[in-house]
Amino acid sequence: MDKLQTFVSLFDYAPLPMSYSPLDAAGGLLASFWNRSWFECFGYRPDEVQGRAGEAFGLWPDVSFRADFLRAVGFDDISKTETTLRRADGSLRTVIVSARKMFADDTTLMVVSYEDVTEQRQLESARKAAERSLRLFQEMVESSNDAIMIVEDHHVMACNTAATTLFAMPREQLVGRHPGDLSPERQDDGESSFTAAVRHMERALAGETEHFLWRHLRGDGSTFMADVVLNPAIDLGADDGERGRRYVTVVRDVTDEQRAARALQDSEERFRQLFELAPVGLALTESDGHFLAVNRHWIQLFGYTLEDLPHTEHRWECAYPDAAYREEARATWSRARAAITERNGEIEPAEYIVTGKDGRQRHVLIGGAMIGDNVLTSYSDVTAQREARAQLEALNQSLEARVEERTRDLRQAIADLTLAQHELVRSEKLASLGALVAGVAHELNTPIGNAVMVASTLSDQRRRFETAVTEGLRRSALESFMRELRETSEMIEHNLRRAAELITSFKQVAVDQSSYQRRTFGVAETLHELRMTLNPSLRRAGVTLIEDVPPELRMDSYPGPLSQVLMNLVNNAVVHAFDGRSGGTVRISGTPLPGLRVRLQISDDGCGIEVDQLPRIFDPFFTTKLGRGGSGLGLHIVHTLVTGVLGGSVRIESEPGVGSSAILELPLNAPPLRTSPEDDGGPSSHP
């Protein structure tokens, strides 16, 4: 028997499904033949497929795979390549295909074996799916935030990581414990933890789901409140050994929730107390208008109870019996409700006239706020305030006439007082001018008296000269008369010039002080003229006046008010600073300031001013010599003229026992003035 026949005999009875195909010179398939095992595996009849290629009857669903397979065989053998083949009934099978070339009787054969691994692959897929499901189940259990434990025969058999964290003990300590050991001796209600645990566990083992709150004990000795669920275990199949009684325990720490619940309960209780004890009427209504609650003040205010008015519609009719006013009140309330969003959930309060159960009408201020989906409405009785307001308005109307009458009297009194004050100020100015006149008159008395005495002497000399002429004039007599005439003339001229200078200075000061004429002047010149008028009073008081003002310092201002200010300050120092002592020094210094301003400082080394008197120093009629010649208007006039006419500022600095200083800061160019009918012909001190 040749090799080919031997191969065919062995091939046909081979236990493994096989096929062989003779190849042409180019490696192409000439025909395909299948053995008995192959027909049994794939269900085809020999007369259907014997001698035909697999693609002819659809054995290879993936034709491209077969083409690649055949090309690969043309170069080399193929070992265990997995593919999908179609059975005669149309089902697909997973097959491992191996191929190799054989040579028999000068014929090249391609021999292919087929190993059906469909069931094996299905089992592997099922195993992988089961393993994946198990992994997912384990991941689900281990990822749970709740503690999960499997309890069998009253002992923990398995637990997740959350359980070890919750009970603060490792898994090996937790497994094997009785659940009663994970609890304090007694629960919050006083019952034994072991007894209560056994009762719940027995019910779970009997098939009932148990859900309860339980106080647990951690490994570190601390306790926590937990929400516990005991679920009867589901039998998923036989175990390796005899299956015990099981259930699944799920434990969730609700300590914070319990604390929050207690806080909420306490808050609700406080709200109920506040609601009930509020000093205003309160009503809580649902969005559909049903009353949920009213407090006792509401009942006292209106006389109704929830049984009387279960719905707000009943209240509208009872509280507002007049239909027209009821519609007006509803419209007002509807507008307030419509604007509730703009007011962050608040209902703007409005006043309504509400009728109570007793028929009495009250003025009630009604507002509210949204509490979730409900409305909390407040009712404040303002009837008493309304009545008091009406009485007050009536009282105000009756008082208006009396107030107007008193106001007229007060205006007249103020006018009289103002006039009296102006008269006093004018009198003070005239008194100051009178003192100036008296001083100048006293000062003029000396030069004029000297001139009169010299003129009298000259008259006697003239008579003697006339007698000498009658008796016969001698040269010596003439020369003597001429010499005496020259001396007396010089003395008369000197004294009259002195008097004229005094009169001129007085005239300038008097004109300046009697009118507010603006002109450009030298400050030093004004001080010199003022000094001449003050010399008599300064000499009598033994006071030395020192002037320290730059000669080039000039002002475009009002010399009259400035002279009066300086004279008042110097006289104030003479009268008050050196009271009770003889001698002293007053210094007037001038210093230019930036911004076309000048500082004039009038300082003395007198007794100073008490600290408590400084804040009142410029007040009208304030004086420390009341009843002893002091009017209290001197420094008030100084302040008025400096801040008004001269446009500057003045302040007093003093140290008791050391002296005082009046500091003036004035503009070199005074501001323009306007006349005021309230003054005595001078300019107004108001801008």
Side-chain angles (χ1 to χ4, degrees):
M1 182 179 295
D2 57 16
K3 290 182 179 180
L4 181 58
Q5 290 177 341
T6 302
F7 169 76
V8 172
S9 298
L10 294 174
F11 167 80
D12 193 38
Y13 291 97
L16 187 68
M18 299 180 66
S19 69
Y20 75 89
S21 302
L23 303 179
D24 58 16
L29 295 177
L30 296 175
S32 293
F33 299 93
W34 322 88
N35 67 357
R36 296 173 184 267
S37 296
W38 188 91
F39 289 121
E40 292 176 359
C41 180
F42 291 96
Y44 293 97
R45 297 195 309 273
D47 59 339
E48 293 177 332
V49 300
Q50 200 66 278
R52 302 175 63 188
E55 68 269 25
F57 53 86
L59 177 65
W60 301 82
D62 188 351
V63 178
S64 62
F65 175 83
R66 179 179 180 278
D68 295 338
F69 178 80
L70 293 177
R71 280 195 298 271
V73 171
F75 296 98
D76 199 359
D77 295 341
I78 295 177
S79 175
K80 295 185 178 180
T81 299
E82 189 170 311
T83 186
T84 301
L85 299 180
R86 181 180 286 109
R87 283 173 51 90
D89 59 6
S91 63
L92 299 179
R93 307 294 289 179
T94 302
V95 181
I96 295 178
V97 180
S98 300
R100 61 179 300 178
K101 291 181 181 178
M102 296 182 63
F103 302 95
D105 298 337
D106 299 329
T107 300
T108 302
L109 302 176
M110 184 182 69
V111 181
V112 183
S113 64
Y114 305 86
E115 181 183 357
D116 188 354
V117 294
T118 303
E119 285 75 11
Q120 182 180 348
R121 292 293 183 264
Q122 289 176 347
L123 290 175
E124 290 178 355
S125 177
R127 179 180 56 80
K128 290 180 180 179
E131 291 176 352
R132 184 172 184 276
S133 296
L134 180 60
R135 286 196 304 272
L136 291 176
F137 177 77
Q138 291 174 339
E139 182 178 349
M140 176 184 67
V141 172
E142 287 299 320
S143 300
S144 174
N145 291 325
D146 297 333
I148 300 176
M149 298 181 293
I150 296 179
V151 179
E152 183 176 80
D153 293 331
H154 298 345
H155 290 84
V156 177
M157 301 301 295
C159 65
N160 64 351
T161 302
T164 64
T165 302
L166 184 61
F167 287 96
M169 60 179 62
R171 197 183 305 267
E172 56 269 17
Q173 292 184 15
L174 190 57
V175 173
R177 282 180 175 265
H178 189 284
D181 296 339
L182 303 175
S183 310
E185 183 178 354
R186 295 190 176 276
Q187 289 298 302
D188 292 354
D189 59 1
E191 186 178 6
S192 167
S193 295
F194 188 85
T195 302
V198 170
R199 183 177 66 253
H200 288 299
M201 290 188 293
E202 289 299 330
R203 289 176 181 173
L205 292 173
E208 300 179 13
T209 298
E210 288 287 286
H211 189 182
F212 51 91
L213 290 176
W214 190 262
R215 175 72 63 182
H216 276 291
L217 184 67
R218 290 191 176 93
D220 57 7
S222 62
T223 65
F224 64 95
M225 182 60 69
D227 181 79
V228 180
V229 178
L230 305 183
N231 288 313
I234 300 175
D235 189 1
L236 299 179
D239 298 320
D240 294 338
E242 184 180 355
R243 185 179 189 279
R245 300 188 303 164
R246 298 177 185 171
Y247 61 87
V248 178
T249 302
V250 179
V251 182
R252 173 178 298 173
D253 186 356
V254 294
T255 304
D256 292 339
E257 288 85 343
Q258 287 284 304
R259 187 180 297 113
R262 285 195 298 270
L264 179 60
Q265 184 177 0
D266 293 342
S267 177
E268 291 176 350
E269 181 62 28
R270 287 194 297 270
F271 174 78
R272 282 193 294 268
Q273 292 179 357
L274 290 173
F275 179 84
E276 187 64 27
L277 301 177
V280 298
L282 294 176
L284 187 65
T285 57
E286 293 179 314
S287 57
D288 61 0
H290 282 89
F291 281 100
L292 291 175
V294 294
N295 67 351
R296 62 185 182 184
H297 194 89
W298 189 93
I299 297 173
Q300 294 171 359
L301 183 61
F302 301 114
Y304 294 104
T305 63
L306 283 181
E307 290 75 14
D308 298 328
L309 300 175
H311 197 278
T312 54
E313 285 300 323
H314 300 87
R315 169 159 176 73
W316 280 112
E317 296 177 0
C318 296
Y320 309 98
D322 182 76
Y325 183 74
R326 181 166 61 247
E327 293 305 316
E328 179 183 346
R330 290 184 78 118
T332 303
W333 181 256
S334 297
R335 287 193 297 270
R337 285 292 303 271
I340 196 170
T341 304
E342 303 172 0
R343 295 179 57 83
N344 298 323
E346 295 182 4
I347 301 175
E348 184 176 8
E351 188 174 320
Y352 301 82
I353 301 176
V354 183
T355 303
K357 189 175 182 179
D358 57 2
R360 179 185 171 188
Q361 289 187 334
R362 293 175 174 85
H363 292 268
V364 182
L365 191 65
I366 303 177
M370 294 298 297
I371 306 296
D373 294 332
N374 302 324
V375 179
L376 180 65
T377 310
S378 62
Y379 302 82
S380 299
D381 188 359
V382 294
T383 305
Q385 293 91 316
R386 268 290 192 148
E387 293 174 352
R389 189 187 310 166
Q391 294 174 1
L392 182 60
E393 289 176 356
L395 180 60
N396 288 338
Q397 291 177 359
S398 65
L399 288 177
E400 283 182 0
R402 283 184 287 173
V403 170
E404 186 176 356
E405 181 180 354
R406 297 294 174 84
T407 303
R408 285 197 301 268
D409 295 341
L410 183 59
R411 287 199 189 103
Q412 184 60 43
I414 293 175
D416 294 342
L417 182 60
T418 304
L419 180 60
Q421 182 175 345
H422 285 307
E423 290 297 329
L424 285 172
V425 172
R426 186 181 294 107
S427 299
E428 181 69 17
K429 292 180 180 178
L430 293 177
S432 176
L433 191 58
L436 178 64
V437 171
V440 170
H442 184 275
E443 190 72 13
L444 286 173
N445 201 30
T446 299
I448 293 176
N450 290 338
V452 170
M453 182 181 64
V454 172
S456 177
T457 302
L458 181 60
S459 179
D460 291 341
Q461 291 174 349
R462 179 185 57 79
R463 286 193 296 271
R464 288 196 303 270
F465 179 73
E466 289 176 350
T467 302
V469 170
T470 303
E471 294 176 352
L473 182 63
R474 294 192 299 271
R475 183 181 181 85
S476 59
L478 178 59
E479 289 177 352
S480 176
F481 176 73
M482 292 300 295
R483 185 175 60 256
E484 291 175 354
L485 177 62
R486 185 171 54 254
E487 290 175 358
T488 54
S489 297
E490 289 176 356
M491 291 180 66
I492 291 172
E493 182 181 1
H494 172 72
N495 283 282
L496 291 178
R497 187 181 305 112
R498 172 62 177 165
E501 184 179 357
L502 287 172
I503 292 171
T504 301
S505 298
F506 167 69
K507 180 180 179 182
Q508 183 62 55
V509 173
V511 168
D512 285 341
Q513 291 194 9
S514 62
S515 67
Y516 292 149
Q517 181 180 1
R518 179 173 184 152
R519 61 184 174 87
T520 301
F521 60 92
V523 178
E525 296 172 2
T526 301
L527 286 178
H528 177 68
E529 294 169 354
L530 181 63
R531 179 193 184 93
M532 296 183 65
T533 63
L534 293 175
N535 272 337
S537 59
L538 293 174
R539 281 198 299 269
R540 285 196 303 271
V543 175
T544 301
L545 177 62
I546 300 175
E547 304 169 25
D548 183 17
V549 177
E552 68 276 6
L553 185 60
R554 300 184 65 80
M555 297 179 66
D556 180 7
S557 187
Y558 301 91
L562 179 60
S563 297
Q564 186 170 356
V565 166
L566 296 176
M567 185 171 65
N568 282 9
L569 290 172
V570 173
N571 284 333
N572 191 75
V574 171
V575 173
H576 295 278
F578 308 113
D579 186 20
R581 57 177 277 192
S582 177
T585 302
V586 176
R587 176 184 294 273
I588 302 178
S589 58
T591 305
L593 298 176
L596 298 177
R597 295 178 68 81
V598 63
R599 177 187 293 119
L600 297 179
Q601 184 165 336
I602 300 87
S603 305
D604 64 68
D605 55 1
C607 62
I609 304 172
E610 296 299 330
V611 177
D612 60 338
Q613 296 175 357
L614 279 175
R616 304 176 56 197
I617 201 72
F618 294 118
D619 292 351
F621 309 113
F622 174 75
T623 178
T624 59
K625 288 187 174 296
L626 187 63
R628 293 182 292 160
S631 66
L633 291 173
L635 291 183
H636 174 65
I637 293 174
V638 168
H639 185 272
T640 301
L641 292 176
V642 170
T643 58
V645 177
L646 300 177
S649 63
V650 58
R651 68 180 187 275
I652 301 292
E653 296 179 355
S654 179
E655 183 176 350
V658 177
S660 304
S661 295
I663 302 171
L664 315 179
E665 291 190 4
L666 307 172
L668 293 178
N669 295 316
L673 300 176
R674 66 183 183 185
T675 59
S676 171
E678 297 178 358
D679 210 342
D680 56 347
S684 171
S685 62
H686 303 286

